[in-house]
Amino acid sequence: QVQLVESGGGLVQAGDSLRLSCVASGRTDLMTAMGWFRQAPGKDREFVTVIDWSDGSTTYADSAKGRFTITRDYAKNTLYLQMSSLTPEDTALYYCAVRLYSGVFRDHRYYHYWGQGTQVTVSS
């Protein structure tokens, strides 16, 4: 079992930057991928980005490319999402998630544990 705690959300203006963090605890030795997903009111949960926990390779949604950066601190079991050039369309509840045992996926259904979410609101 893995526990995830996100932080760093808030209310910002369009064009601003924000950094989210997600600390993992428990069976972190089983983690193979950690991702960020988001969900806006009335919309489905959306993939943002994922990192291979072992080698640090990354994948981004088109909406995140060039603006968002996912990184990890392997020693601290901490995941980050640096977001820049934020727009109102980025407003959502942002979740970190972890996949155990094997694989790196964009599909949220393949993730085993989720954080509680942190709200990001971007005003125009």
Side-chain angles (χ1 to χ4, degrees):
Q1 188 173 1
V2 175
Q3 296 79 41
L4 302 173
V5 179
E6 302 114 329
S7 61
L11 173 63
V12 297
Q13 294 187 331
D16 284 352
S17 298
L18 202 60
R19 189 177 84 155
L20 308 182
S21 300
C22 175
V23 179
S25 60
R27 292 302 306 272
T28 57
D29 57 308
L30 300 176
M31 301 194 304
T32 59
M34 289 192 75
W36 289 100
F37 297 80
R38 66 186 183 184
Q39 189 165 18
K43 295 189 176 181
D44 293 335
R45 190 162 300 190
E46 176 188 19
F47 167 76
V48 177
T49 179
V50 62
I51 190 166
D52 184 306
W53 195 248
S54 178
D55 66 16
S57 58
T58 59
T59 303
Y60 292 90
D62 287 345
S63 60
K65 287 178 182 176
R67 299 189 303 127
F68 294 3
T69 303
I70 187 171
T71 58
R72 80 204 192 302
D73 186 325
Y74 192 88
K76 295 182 178 180
N77 293 315
T78 301
L79 180 72
Y80 301 100
L81 181 64
Q82 179 67 47
M83 304 184 290
S84 61
S85 302
L86 287 162
T87 73
E89 288 68 38
D90 295 314
T91 295
L93 190 59
Y94 282 70
Y95 297 92
C96 68
V98 63
R99 176 167 172 83
L100 307 183
Y101 308 119
S102 66
V104 179
F105 297 93
R106 298 167 62 109
D107 191 331
H108 69 275
R109 294 172 295 179
Y110 289 94
Y111 286 76
H112 296 90
Y113 294 99
W114 294 79
Q116 80 285 356
T118 185
Q119 179 67 39
V120 173
T121 303
V122 184
S123 63
S124 58

